[in-house]
Amino acid sequence: KNEVEQSPQNLTAQEGEFITINCSYSVGISALHWLQQHPGGGIVSLFMLSSGKKKHGRLIATINIQEKHSSLHITASHPRDSAVYICAVYGSNYKLTFGKGTLLTVNP
Amino acid sequence: GAGVSQSPSNKVTEKGKDVELRCDPISGHTALYWYRQSLGQGLEFLIYFQGNSAPDKSGLPSDRFSAERTGGSVSTLTIQRTQQEDSAVYLCASSFGPTEQFFGPGTRLTVL
């Protein structure tokens, strides 16, 4: 079993829909990253959080440390949001352990 | 520079040859990480440098892989006697300690 599990693996949505991507982890962590990777593109850090909730534009990330769970929400999704979204967790040794990613496709 | 840079962006090599991949982190960042993303696979940790501390090499897949960081800045990842299974995108990231990491564009390595 992977230490970091994401769901769903693939997600197709219509423009304007509300998107939720989930991440569950089985190890103790100090913080969690949400990353975005466009096809053929580099990786961009969207959020790093260790508690509560963060918001940036149409993106919202939440984390529940007790339940070892985080969610990434996208409001009013747009085709340019199409990308792979990756959850990664920091253990006590400062290394990131990555989920396998969620491929999001937003159709116009 | 404004961000993490890596060179070359693409590298094609023949099996058995050695390759060197370079990473220039964001100026002032004390931590530098190397990751690998193989086709169809997730990201995996390779090595971590933090300041002057001994690097954490626990993710290096074999002794053909090595990395160094000179002067606390630029890092080079060396793969000796490359194998086809080494083909992947090699990503570098930097941060100011155990904080948000900033990723470079990656080097796509193809071993023929």
Side-chain angles (χ1 to χ4, degrees), chain B residues 11-80:
Chain B
K11 176 72 176 178
V12 180
T13 190
E14 293 178 348
K15 178 181 171 181
K17 294 284 177 78
D18 297 352
V19 296
E20 283 190 351
L21 312 179
R22 177 187 168 106
C23 172
D24 281 275
I26 292 173
S27 179
H29 278 188
T30 56
L32 187 147
Y33 306 78
W34 282 99
Y35 301 99
R36 178 168 73 172
Q37 188 173 36
S38 304
L39 185 63
Q41 302 293 317
L43 283 149
E44 61 175 321
F45 164 81
L46 296 177
I47 188 169
Y48 159 60
F49 296 90
Q50 172 59 50
N52 295 321
S53 302
D56 179 345
K57 304 179 182 180
S58 59
L60 295 178
S62 78
D63 59 8
R64 296 185 296 104
F65 287 72
S66 63
E68 62 177 19
R69 189 179 185 192
T70 53
S73 181
V74 172
S75 177
T76 302
L77 176 69
T78 302
I79 309 173
Q80 295 178 309

Side-chain angles (χ1 to χ4, degrees), chain A residues 37 41-42, chain B residues 4-12 19-24 34-38 46 75 77 79 86-92 103-110:
Chain A
Q37 185 174 33
Chain B
V4 179
S5 61
Q6 291 186 244
S7 62
S9 55
N10 281 284
K11 176 72 176 178
V12 180
V19 296
E20 283 190 351
L21 312 179
R22 177 187 168 106
C23 172
D24 281 275
W34 282 99
Y35 301 99
R36 178 168 73 172
Q37 188 173 36
S38 304
L46 296 177
S75 177
L77 176 69
I79 309 173
D86 299 334
S87 296
V89 176
Y90 289 83
L91 291 151
C92 174
F103 287 78
T107 294
R108 182 176 298 278
L109 175 66
T110 303

Side-chain angles (χ1 to χ4, degrees), chain A residues 29-90:
Chain A
I29 70 167
S30 56
L32 181 146
H33 259 298
W34 279 103
L35 307 168
Q36 181 192 56
Q37 185 174 33
H38 281 102
I43 292 177
V44 174
S45 174
L46 299 175
F47 296 102
M48 180 175 167
L49 66 167
S50 55
S51 65
K53 176 180 174 179
K54 286 191 175 181
K55 185 176 190 291
H56 181 68
R58 296 180 294 106
L59 301 177
I60 302 166
T62 63
I63 188 168
N64 185 316
I65 295 292
Q66 287 74 31
E67 294 186 2
K68 293 186 166 62
H69 182 268
S70 175
S71 293
L72 176 68
H73 305 286
I74 305 175
T75 61
S77 58
H78 189 276
R80 65 176 174 264
D81 297 326
S82 297
V84 175
Y85 292 83
I86 302 167
C87 171
V89 299
Y90 266 120

